């Protein structure tokens, strides 16, 4: 039971049976004994122990004994179980005379006796009843007088030692209260006495233990004293404390034995060095083996007796504590330690006696565990018992070998005598261990020993497998396999041996691997499995752990089978790793890439593992053709070809490594340094080393071989892939150690895959080689590339082009030439950088380049000059006119600013096909023109912009007109030579002069010569630029004048001024103009409608009132129209005139045939003008033209296709504004000026 008195302090309940000696009135005590014995243990008491140990709640159970002086403990008696912890004197005396005459004297004798034996734990109980009062009423004093008398006589300083019990036999509240007080007092006094005497006993025991170094100290005597304390704790049901006592005795004895082995002897150990006469094993079915305990107490016990008794007591306590699985662990340690202790103490034991004792002890422990656990618990916790089963099986195996039970010829007479001696040491048959001795007796019988062995081995094998301890199971299976081999059953033995070999191989045990593999070879030979036997023999022939003679024997087994004449189509394939190792592969040349005319050799280095030279009929290397790497079809994909350094070293552990390599070695240690520094001053406190891959180093490998461990039990058969190409070498002799074999590689790109060595009927095949090795014997087609030396190529001047010829497999012979078909606009010129052996012959359309003789796979380079002639340009087609007489302008792009792409055809002597080559040339100049006017005078400006990165010199810049010979173009350029730098422009100007009339259309050609800067005159090349100018005649002159306000001499800011615009017709109308936009009035005169607009984009003027309007201009020379507009200057100063625009106004009837132009449509401010006659409202200001306004009307009407009036700007030069650059002086409104001056 468990009760918590405080949050963290557990209180344990136990029953303590103590001896109490009773004195006084025996009849009175007899009447009260039953009630007292029953009620005393009912309530628990808190037992507070010394040395800070946890308190416990215990029930006190007393054993009441009549007081006798001989029962008092004598000097030196340390028995706690028979110690009287409390003395009680019972009396019901109420008479004073009786008290004085007899009771007082009896109490004094009782007190003196206790005092003489140093017993201070006593109590006097006075029993009071009403019947006694009535019977002796006259002579009875008040009750308090007797009690007070007793207290004054015997309890002067301890008044609580006198207790009154009132009417104990009645059922009343007073009696119950009196009983409770008495029981509480007895429990308190008993517990105090027990605690005091127990502490004294522990002190005496420690004192005795500290005397162990003194002569005459006996372990057996100390053993009995401490076991007495263990018995007390066991009686209190404090089994953990009791177990501690036995563990301390065990540790103390073990330390003495170890000291004895180190040379520090003790006299009392002599009794434990006696020869062992009995080996009947442990006895765990009795709570206390009194026979062995008595022998220990007498000092006659042997080492096995002491260990057996001590373990039996530990086992009993562990079973009470419900820790049976700890029993198995301790038992296994005990059995191993006892064997070592017997050797340290040099105890004489006959051969096999310890094996019998260990075997019987294991069975006894297992039987004891089975007795206290159900089958389900045993099955779930078999991992705790499997160690005992393994130890028992091992000892049973040793007994069988010792007594000759497993030999093929049976036991000898000496073996039989030894068997009789061992059976005699088992002792008399006892009910506790009789069946185990009988089992061991049957074990020595010839008819039963096979079953005993098989049963134990199989039970242990499957037990290990059930708990996942595969390593141990395979070791047991190895022993079982050896047992089967002795019985001549290799079929059952081989699987167990292979499983054991897996464990040895995965853990790197080389010698056990070799030994087990040799046993497997023996099994395979007995079973007649030839191929498996050859594979195992090959492994053993290359195993350096065997002797040379053994290796030669297994090698000869392979060679003998290979020399047989059998079916040639059936060959035994073995793994080459067990025969020879591929250690190095070397290419010659080292690049592993040669052309088809050269020789590529592949040298293999094989390390032969056989102990004798081996003659190989054929050594073949399988190669795989790589289609993705070009092969013989050229090297277009050569960029992806794998390259190497010429030599490849194969490290152990790859697919080409043999069994002697470190295939079973685990991962390497990854160590790292750790430092512990103080947080206060960062000083170094400690330094350590930690392993970062501990999970890989110490991981368990019981679940079979790890993935990286090859199957070396029987290496997997590797077959050669059929249909592949082979590199072969015949009749090769491999000596032990390194051997070099050279192959010659065929053309193509190949990857080495496998090796195969043929020895008679045996083939040694190497698995796919890793890392993969590739070589290339290529055949490359000739390649001709043409690339410019500078980017971009410029038209109009010679440019260098580089020709590069990779001959490939082709041999250029004398007379071979390249035929270049070129155009007239791109002639090919010989370059000064060409080699002397290069001959160039050019004609109109074909250029022949003779090539010098060149070997295959060489590079031939030469340079040529090409010239792209800039065309002068074609005649522009005449402009077409529409039905209404309007000139239709065809949209065109300036082709002179484009690039020229010239394609040439090259015929090569090695190919029947022509190679097309395209060269792109760019014009270095960008040219544009403009028409400038000054009244009736006309000027043409040409701008030449250098868009290349070179600097040029321009000369002989001319401008001509092709259609009108009477027209004169006078150059206004002062310099004949102009420097045109990169990204810069040059402007040229000509004045147009004519005699009769100025033509409306001019066809002009600009020509100049150019060459790169700082070159001679012969390098100049022509450049032409054609353009066309239309409508060059000035039709109208616009002149404006600003008039100051009335009364003012000058204009002033903020005051309205008058702007007078005068539009004058300068020429007579032409036929096309009359048909295009004229209108006949009532007088028969031809008129043209013009739209004017005044706008100031610089915000210097504000237009007051109307800003635009329409005028009717007669189509005759010197016709003038004036318009008055009010403007107001906003600033003072010399202000430029407002901008004045004049546009053509085309009526709606003229616009009917014109398709609506959505790009020229703008929204009008008002649609009311369309409802009125615009001819009658020439002065209206409602039509406002802003910027690029070309038409009036609503967008809805335009979208519906209704013919609307529109505006059309004049061509450049048709309208000349005389006041375009004029300015007018504007004065400020007032001349008042304020100047602030601060003076200090």
């Amino acid at each position: 039971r468990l009760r918590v008195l405080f949050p963290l302090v557990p209180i344990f309940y136990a029953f303590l049976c103590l001896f109490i000696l009773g004195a006084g009135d025996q009849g009175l005590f007899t009447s009260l004994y039953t009630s007292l014995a029953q009620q005393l243990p009912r309530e628990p008491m808190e037992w507070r122990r010394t040395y800070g140990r946890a308190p416990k709640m215990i029930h006190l159970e007393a054993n009441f004994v009549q007081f006798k002086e001989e029962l008092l403990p004598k000097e030196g008696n340390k028995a706690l179980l028979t110690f009287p912890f409390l003395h009680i004197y019972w009396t019901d005396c109420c008479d004073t005379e009786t008290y004085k005459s007899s009771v007082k004297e009896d109490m004094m004798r009782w007190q003196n006796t206790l005092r003489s034996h140093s017993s201070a734990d006593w109590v006097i109980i006075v029993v009071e009843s009403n019947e006694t009062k009535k019977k002796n009423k006259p002579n009875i004093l008040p009750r308090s007088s007797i009690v007070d008398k007793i207290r004054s006589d015997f309890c002067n300083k301890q008044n609580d030692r006198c207790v009154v019990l009132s009417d104990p036999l009645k059922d009343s509240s007073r009696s119950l209260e009196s009983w409770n007080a008495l029981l509480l007092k007895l429990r308190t006094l008993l517990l105090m006495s027990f605690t005091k005497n127990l502490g004294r006993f522990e002190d005496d025991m420690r004192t005795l233990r500290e005397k162990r170094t003194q002569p005459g100290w006996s372990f057996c005597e100390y053993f009995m004293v401490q076991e007495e304390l263990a018995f007390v704790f066991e009686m209190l049901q404090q089994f953990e404390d009791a177990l501690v006592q036995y563990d301390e005795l065990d540790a103390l004895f073990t330390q003495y034995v170890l000291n004895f082995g180190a040379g520090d002897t003790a006299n009392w150990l002599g009794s434990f060095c006696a020869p062992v006469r009995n080996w009947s094993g442990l006895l765990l079915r009795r709570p206390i083996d009194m026979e062995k305990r008595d022998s220990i107490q007498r000092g006659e016990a042997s080492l096995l007796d002491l260990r057996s008794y001590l373990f039996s007591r530990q086992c009993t306590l562990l079973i009470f504590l419900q820790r049976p699985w700890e029993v198995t662990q301790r038992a296994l340690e005990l059995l191993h330690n006892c064997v070592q202790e017997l050797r340290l103490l040099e105890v004489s034991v006959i051969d096999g006696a310890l094996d019998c004792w260990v075997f019987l002890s294991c069975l006894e422990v297992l039987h004891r565990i089975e007795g206290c656990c159900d089958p389900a618990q045993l099955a779930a916790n078999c991992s705790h018992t499997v160690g005992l089963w393994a130890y028992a099986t091992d000892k049973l195996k040793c007994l069988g070998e010792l007594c000759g039970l497993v030999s093929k010829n049976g036991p000898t007479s000496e073996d039989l005598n030894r068997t009789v001696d061992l059976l005699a040491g088992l002792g008399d048959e006892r009910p506790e261990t009789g069946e185990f001795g009988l089992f061991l007796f049957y074990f020595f019988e010839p008819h039963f020993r096979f079953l005993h062995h098989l049963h134990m081995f199989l039970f242990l094998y499957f037990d290990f497998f059930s708990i996942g301890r595969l390593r141990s199971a395979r070791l047991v299976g190895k022993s079982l396999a050896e047992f089967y081999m002795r019985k001549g059953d290799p079929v059952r033995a081989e699987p167990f041996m292979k499983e054991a070999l897996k464990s040895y191989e995965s853990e790197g045990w080389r010698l056990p691997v070799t030994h087990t593999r040799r046993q497997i070879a023996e099994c395979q030979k007995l079973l007649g499995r030839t191929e498996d036997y050859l594979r195992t023999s090959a492994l053993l022939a290359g195993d350096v752990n065997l002797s040379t003679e053994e290796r030669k024997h297994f090698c000869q087994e392979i060679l003998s089978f290979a020399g047989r004449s059998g079916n040639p189509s059936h060959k035994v394939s073995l793994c080459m790793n067990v025969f020879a190792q591929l250690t190095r592969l070397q290419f010659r040349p080292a690049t592993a890439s040669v052309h088809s005319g050269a020789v590529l050799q592949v040298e293999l280095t094989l390390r032969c593992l056989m102990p004798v030279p081996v003659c190989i009929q054929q050594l073949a290397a399988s190669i795989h053709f790589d289609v993705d790497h070009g092969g013989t079809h050229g090297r277009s994909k050569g960029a992806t070809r794998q390259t190497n350094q010429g030599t490849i070293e194969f490290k152990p552990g790859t697919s080409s490594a043999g069994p002697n390599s470190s295939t079973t070695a685990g991962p390497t240690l990854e160590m790292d340094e750790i430092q512990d520094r103080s947080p206060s001053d960062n000083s170094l406190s400690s330094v350590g080393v930690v392993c970062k891959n501990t999970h890989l180093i110490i991981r368990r490998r019981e679940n079979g071989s790890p993935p990286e461990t090859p199957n070396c039990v029987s290496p997997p058969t590797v077959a050669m892939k059929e249909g592949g190409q082979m590199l072969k070498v015949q009749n090769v002799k491999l000596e032990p150690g390194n051997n070099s074999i050279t192959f010659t590689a065929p053309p193509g790109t190949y990857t080495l895959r496998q090796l195969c060595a043929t020895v008679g009927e045996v083939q040694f095949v190497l698995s796919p080689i890793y890392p993969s090795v590739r070589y290339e014997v290529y055949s490359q087609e000739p390649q001709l590339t043409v690339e410019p030396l500078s980017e971009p190529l410029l038209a109009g001047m010679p440019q260098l082009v580089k020709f590069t010829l990779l001959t490939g497999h082709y041999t250029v012979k004398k007379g071979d030439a390249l035929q270049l078909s070129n155009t007239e606009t791109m002639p090919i010129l010989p370059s000064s950088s060409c080699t002397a052996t290069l001959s160039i012959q050019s004609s109109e359309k074909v250029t022949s380049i003779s090539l010098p003789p060149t070997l295959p796979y060489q590079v031939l380079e030469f340079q040529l000059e090409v010239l792209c002639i800039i065309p002068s340009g074609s005649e522009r087609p005449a402009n077409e006119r529409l039905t209404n007489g309007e000139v239709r302008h065809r949209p065109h792009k300036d082709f002179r600013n484009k690039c020229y792409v010239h394609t040439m055809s090259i015929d090569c002597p090695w190919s029947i096909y022509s190679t097309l080559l395209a060269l792109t040339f760019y014009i270095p100049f960008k040219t544009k023109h403009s028409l400038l006017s000054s009244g009736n005078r006309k000027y043409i400006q040409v701008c030449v912009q250098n868009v290349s990165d070179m600097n040029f010199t321009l000369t002989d810049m001319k401008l001509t007109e092709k259609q009108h010979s009477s027209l004169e173009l006078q150059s206004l350029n002062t310099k004949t030579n102009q420097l045109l730098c990169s990204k810069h422009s040059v402007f040229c100007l000509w004045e147009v002069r004519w005699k009769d009339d100025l033509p409306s259309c001019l066809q002009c050609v600009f020509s100049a010569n150019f060459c790169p800067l700082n070159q001679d005159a012969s390098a100049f090349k022509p450049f032409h630029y054609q353009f066309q100018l239309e409508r060059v005649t000035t039709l109208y002159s616009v002149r404006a004048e600003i008039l100051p306000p009335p009364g003012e001499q000058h204009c002033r800011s903020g005051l309205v001024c008058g702007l007078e615009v005068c539009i004058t017709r300068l020429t007579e109308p032409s036929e096309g103009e009359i048909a295009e936009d004229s209108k006949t009035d009532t007088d028969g005169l031809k008129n043209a409608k013009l739209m004017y607009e005044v706008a100031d984009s610089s915000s210097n003027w504000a237009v007051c009132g109307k800003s635009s309007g329409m005028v009717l201009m007669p189509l005759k020379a010197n016709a003038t129209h004036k318009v008055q507009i009010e403007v107001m200057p906003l600033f003072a100063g010399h202000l430029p005139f407002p901008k004045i625009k004049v546009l053509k106004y085309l009526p709606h009837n003229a616009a009917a045939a014109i398709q609506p132009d959505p790009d020229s449509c703008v929204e009008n401010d008002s649609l009311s003008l369309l409802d009125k006659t615009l001819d009658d409202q020439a002065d209206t200001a409602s039509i406002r033209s802003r910027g690029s306004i070309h038409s009036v009307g609503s967008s809805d009407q335009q979208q519906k296709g209704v013919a609307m009036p529109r505006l059309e700007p004049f061509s450049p030069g048709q309208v000349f504004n005389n006041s375009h650059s004029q300015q007018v002086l504007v004065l400020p409104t007032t001349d008042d000026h304020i100047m602030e001056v601060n003076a200090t």
Side-chain angles (χ1 to χ4, degrees), residues 510-809:
R510 297 186 179 276
L511 292 179
V513 164
T514 303
H515 175 70
T516 307
R517 188 175 286 139
R518 186 167 50 187
Q519 292 176 329
I520 292 176
E522 182 181 354
C523 288
Q524 294 170 345
K525 188 174 184 179
L526 292 176
L527 294 175
R529 296 209 293 265
T530 305
E531 293 188 8
D532 294 339
Y533 176 66
L534 290 177
R535 294 189 184 97
T536 308
S537 298
L539 287 169
L540 293 172
D543 197 337
V544 296
N545 294 317
L546 289 177
S547 63
T548 305
E549 296 299 327
E550 290 178 312
R551 293 178 61 193
K552 289 181 179 180
H553 165 72
F554 288 108
C555 182
Q556 191 62 39
E557 291 284 320
I558 300 173
L559 297 179
S560 299
F561 177 82
R564 298 177 186 176
S565 59
N567 185 8
S569 62
H570 176 70
K571 294 182 179 292
V572 178
S573 295
L574 303 180
C575 181
M576 184 178 284
N577 291 335
V578 302
F579 172 72
Q581 281 185 340
L582 176 60
T583 59
R584 187 174 62 178
L585 187 146
Q586 187 174 5
F587 288 101
R588 296 177 182 173
T591 58
S593 177
V594 299
H595 57 81
S596 57
V599 177
L600 176 65
Q601 292 183 341
V602 183
E603 181 180 352
L604 303 181
T605 301
L606 291 176
R607 184 165 66 90
C608 182
L609 303 177
M610 297 294 104
V612 296
V614 179
C615 294
I616 298 177
Q617 284 79 13
Q618 176 180 285
L619 181 63
S622 173
I623 56 178
H624 175 71
F625 178 71
D626 295 339
V627 181
D628 296 337
H629 291 81
T632 59
H633 299 287
R635 303 187 65 188
S636 59
K637 299 182 181 180
T640 61
R641 181 174 53 86
Q642 175 183 349
T643 59
N644 47 60
Q645 301 300 324
T647 302
I648 297 92
E649 299 288 343
F650 294 94
K651 299 180 180 179
T654 61
S655 61
S656 61
N660 292 332
S661 60
S662 56
T663 56
T664 60
T668 58
L669 288 174
E670 296 182 8
M671 310 300 293
D672 196 4
E673 177 185 0
I674 56 173
Q675 296 181 356
D676 185 14
R677 295 184 176 275
S678 175
S680 59
D681 56 355
N682 199 29
S683 61
L684 187 62
S685 302
S686 61
V687 178
V689 178
V690 64
C691 179
K692 296 190 294 184
N693 58 341
T694 311
H695 61 289
L696 299 177
I697 300 298
I698 62 175
R699 63 178 177 178
R700 295 179 63 87
R701 294 183 180 175
E702 293 184 349
N703 297 328
S705 301
E708 68 272 8
T709 303
N711 183 11
C712 290
V713 176
S714 181
T717 303
V718 182
M720 289 292 294
K721 294 184 178 180
E722 300 294 337
Q725 299 187 27
M726 296 284 184
L727 305 179
K728 298 180 181 180
V729 177
Q730 305 293 334
N731 299 325
V732 178
K733 185 176 182 180
L734 294 183
E735 298 288 342
N738 292 330
N739 300 267
S740 296
I741 298 96
T742 303
F743 297 95
T744 300
T749 301
Y750 293 94
T751 301
L752 294 178
R753 290 296 179 86
Q754 291 179 292
L755 289 179
C756 178
T758 303
V759 183
E761 300 297 323
V762 181
Q763 284 185 341
F764 294 95
V765 182
L766 180 64
S767 58
I769 300 175
Y770 182 81
S772 60
V773 180
R774 182 180 295 113
Y775 73 88
E776 181 178 7
V777 180
Y778 58 87
S779 176
Q780 185 180 14
E781 295 293 335
Q783 294 182 3
L784 176 64
T785 57
V786 181
E787 54 184 354
L789 290 182
S790 61
E791 290 288 349
L793 292 176
L794 299 180
M797 54 186 304
Q799 299 289 294
L800 285 177
V801 177
K802 179 182 178 181
F803 286 73
T804 303
L805 174 61
L806 300 177
T807 59
H809 65 83

Side-chain angles (χ1 to χ4, degrees), residues 1189-1232:
I1189 297 178
H1190 301 289
S1191 64
V1192 294
S1194 65
S1195 60
D1196 294 339
Q1197 292 173 336
Q1198 293 178 17
Q1199 291 177 0
K1200 293 179 181 180
V1202 180
M1204 299 296 298
R1206 63 188 181 91
L1207 300 177
E1208 181 178 329
F1210 287 96
S1211 299
Q1214 287 187 314
V1215 178
F1216 178 72
N1217 191 350
N1218 291 278
S1219 59
H1220 180 69
S1221 58
Q1222 288 184 0
Q1223 293 180 344
V1224 62
L1225 176 62
V1226 178
L1227 299 178
T1229 305
T1230 61
D1231 294 331
D1232 297 335

Side-chain angles (χ1 to χ4, degrees), residues 816-923:
D816 289 344
L818 299 178
Q819 305 294 329
L820 278 68
S821 300
N822 52 288
T823 61
E824 296 179 356
T825 58
M826 192 189 71
I828 297 178
L829 308 176
S831 174
S832 58
S833 59
C834 291
T835 58
T837 58
L838 197 65
S839 175
I840 299 177
Q841 296 179 358
S842 299
S843 62
E844 294 182 358
K845 295 184 178 180
V846 178
T847 301
S848 178
I849 304 175
S850 299
L851 300 177
T854 309
L855 296 177
Y857 301 101
Q858 301 295 322
V859 179
L860 179 61
E861 295 181 351
F862 57 91
Q863 297 176 4
L864 297 179
E865 283 188 349
V866 294
L867 176 63
C868 175
I869 300 175
I870 302 176
S872 60
S874 61
E875 295 291 337
R876 297 285 301 272
N879 292 331
E880 300 177 356
R881 291 182 180 272
L882 302 177
T883 55
N884 60 355
E886 182 183 359
V887 178
R888 181 179 179 182
H889 302 282
R890 292 182 177 272
H892 65 276
K893 295 183 180 179
D894 192 356
F895 67 95
R896 286 164 296 275
N897 295 328
K898 290 185 178 181
C899 59
Y900 297 96
V901 180
H902 290 276
T903 302
M904 68 171 63
S905 175
I906 304 177
D907 294 329
C908 304
W910 54 82
S911 176
I912 62 175
Y913 302 102
S914 299
T915 302
L916 296 180
L917 175 65
L919 295 177
T920 303
F921 293 86
Y922 295 88
I923 299 177

Side-chain angles (χ1 to χ4, degrees), residues 1059 1093-1097 1101 1107 1136-1141 1217 1220:
L1059 174 62
E1093 180 185 11
V1094 179
D1096 184 26
S1097 60
W1101 302 87
S1107 61
F1137 277 38
K1139 187 175 181 181
I1140 301 171
K1141 291 184 179 179
N1217 191 350
H1220 180 69

Side-chain angles (χ1 to χ4, degrees), residues 873-1069:
S874 61
E875 295 291 337
R876 297 285 301 272
N879 292 331
E880 300 177 356
R881 291 182 180 272
L882 302 177
T883 55
N884 60 355
E886 182 183 359
V887 178
R888 181 179 179 182
H889 302 282
R890 292 182 177 272
H892 65 276
K893 295 183 180 179
D894 192 356
F895 67 95
R896 286 164 296 275
N897 295 328
K898 290 185 178 181
C899 59
Y900 297 96
V901 180
H902 290 276
T903 302
M904 68 171 63
S905 175
I906 304 177
D907 294 329
C908 304
W910 54 82
S911 176
I912 62 175
Y913 302 102
S914 299
T915 302
L916 296 180
L917 175 65
L919 295 177
T920 303
F921 293 86
Y922 295 88
I923 299 177
F925 306 118
K926 181 179 181 182
T927 311
K928 59 185 178 179
H929 65 277
S930 60
L931 178 63
L932 306 178
S933 301
S934 177
N936 287 330
R937 302 179 67 178
K938 299 296 181 178
Y939 301 89
I940 298 176
Q941 185 184 31
V942 177
C943 176
V944 181
Q945 181 183 1
N946 184 4
V947 295
S948 67
D949 296 330
M950 298 179 61
N951 298 329
F952 293 96
T953 300
L954 295 181
T955 185
D956 298 335
M957 293 172 288
K958 297 178 181 180
L959 183 64
T960 59
E961 208 281 332
K962 299 190 296 183
Q963 294 183 353
H964 304 88
S965 59
S966 61
L967 197 68
E968 180 184 357
L969 297 176
Q970 183 179 356
S971 176
L972 302 180
N973 305 310
T974 58
K975 295 182 180 180
T976 58
N977 295 337
Q978 288 285 348
L979 174 62
L980 182 56
C981 297
S982 174
K983 312 304 180 183
H984 286 70
S985 301
V986 170
F987 293 87
C988 302
L989 188 65
W990 286 266
E991 183 180 358
V992 182
R993 294 185 178 184
W994 61 93
K995 295 181 180 180
D996 299 330
D997 293 328
L998 178 64
S1000 62
C1001 181
L1002 300 179
Q1003 295 289 339
C1004 301
V1005 177
F1006 171 77
S1007 61
N1009 295 328
F1010 72 96
C1011 72
L1013 188 64
N1014 299 328
Q1015 290 193 8
D1016 53 5
S1018 62
F1020 281 94
K1021 302 298 178 181
F1023 172 72
H1024 301 278
Y1025 171 66
Q1026 293 188 11
F1027 58 92
Q1028 177 178 321
L1029 295 175
E1030 297 177 353
R1031 300 176 181 179
V1032 297
T1033 305
T1034 304
L1035 300 180
Y1036 296 97
S1037 173
V1038 179
R1039 189 179 300 275
E1041 184 178 359
I1042 297 179
L1043 303 176
E1048 295 289 339
Q1049 185 179 0
H1050 298 283
C1051 297
R1052 292 186 179 271
S1053 62
L1055 297 180
V1056 178
C1057 302
L1059 174 62
E1060 184 180 79
V1061 179
C1062 181
I1063 304 175
T1064 304
R1065 174 77 184 191
L1066 298 181
T1067 61
E1068 294 294 335

